[in-house]
Amino acid sequence: MFPGAATHRVSRTEQVNAHVALLLRGESFREGGRGNRLTCASSQSWEWQRAITHAQVRRIANALIREGRCVDIFFATYGCAAPNEKWNDDLVRWFGPHLKDHTFLQRAPGQDQSTTLLASLKLLATYSSRWGKRY
């Protein structure tokens, strides 16, 4: 598709690591588009998150599994508070058996895009070290 791209120079006979870590991070159950930071506030945001999660599993994880890869999923996001704290359990359940670890962070001053990114990387490093997995 892209002549000269590195992916076209990789020999398909080379050994490829069969283990893939899928790291997801960000804000779950967001209400709307860009600039809207409201989360966990309506049944519409629950529906959107369910659809997004199912799409991530179907289009990314299951596609890799069909190629013969073992996919381990990790996510870091901000947890829903009362009265919708049970949505956190829904999110975990939607990822299914390939979810290896996750964390629900509490909001705090000074957080930025790196907060959930670093948290997801920490989950991966801990799991990889504990189970001797290389990705």
Side-chain angles (χ1 to χ4, degrees), residues 6 24 28 45 48 63-64 67-68 73-74 90 101 114 127 134:
L24 302 167
S28 300
S45 66
W48 273 107
L64 289 165
E67 289 182 3
I73 301 173
F74 303 85
D90 293 337
D101 205 357
S114 69
Y127 183 86
R134 295 187 63 179

Side-chain angles (χ1 to χ4, degrees), residues 89-106:
D89 296 332
D90 293 337
L91 185 60
V92 169
R93 188 179 71 254
W94 294 333
F95 278 109
H98 301 289
L99 180 64
K100 299 305 176 190
D101 205 357
H102 64 281
T103 186
F104 291 104
L105 303 170
Q106 297 300 314

Side-chain angles (χ1 to χ4, degrees), residues 6-61:
T7 55
H8 288 280
R9 293 190 301 267
V10 174
S11 168
R12 295 298 175 204
T13 60
E14 292 179 21
Q15 186 175 10
V16 176
N17 190 344
H19 295 279
V20 175
L22 176 58
L23 277 66
L24 302 167
R25 39 81 48 211
E27 293 178 311
S28 300
F29 302 102
R30 286 231 347 237
E31 282 299 306
R34 189 175 184 167
N36 185 340
R37 309 273 28 120
L38 187 61
T39 60
C40 307
S42 74
S43 61
Q44 182 180 2
S45 66
W46 184 92
E47 291 290 343
W48 273 107
Q49 187 62 54
R50 183 176 62 149
I52 290 165
T53 303
H54 284 273
Q56 290 168 329
V57 170
R58 184 178 67 254
R59 293 182 178 180
I60 302 171

